[in-house]
Amino acid sequence: MEIQVAYQASQVHLNELGVFKWPIWQKEISKFPWTYIEEETCYFLEGNVIVTPDGKEAVHMGKGDLVTFPAGMSCTWEITSEVTKHYCFN
């Protein structure tokens, strides 16, 4: 169960996935635990985040990154600058 990050994803790839038709989620600077029931793919429009899966290394992500979180993963989200992202549950 690994977080997959495509740093600075290409516009072509984003368009192929239909990212800009996905819903938007926004969140202020904060820190909270989260468990993924389903796989989630998201694209960060703004912000910076450190996601630390339980028992694993922290993963940094932010504006321009396309990220997939695996189903069943528990982690801690630390939002270091306000986040706006498109998201889709798979």
Side-chain angles (χ1 to χ4, degrees):
M1 263 194 267
E2 297 290 324
I3 297 171
Q4 298 173 13
V5 182
Y7 293 102
Q8 301 303 302
S10 75
Q11 196 67 39
V12 170
H13 186 57
L14 297 173
N15 289 340
E16 287 172 352
L17 293 173
V19 165
F20 300 104
K21 295 177 184 172
W22 298 350
I24 289 179
W25 182 82
Q26 296 179 298
K27 184 75 172 164
E28 68 281 353
I29 293 170
S30 55
K31 187 173 183 176
F32 56 91
W34 190 256
T35 298
Y36 287 88
I37 305 302
E38 307 174 70
E39 180 181 88
E40 178 187 344
T41 300
C42 64
Y43 176 68
F44 287 87
L45 297 168
E46 297 291 336
N48 287 296
V49 181
I50 302 165
V51 177
T52 307
D54 292 355
K56 297 192 178 179
E57 294 290 317
V59 179
H60 295 252
M61 61 200 72
K63 183 178 179 178
D65 297 337
L66 182 68
V67 183
T68 300
F69 300 99
M73 183 186 77
S74 293
C75 59
T76 300
W77 269 63
E78 183 177 355
I79 299 174
T80 57
S81 66
E82 188 172 305
V83 164
T84 301
K85 67 174 184 156
H86 284 286
Y87 68 94
C88 176
F89 290 103
N90 305 317

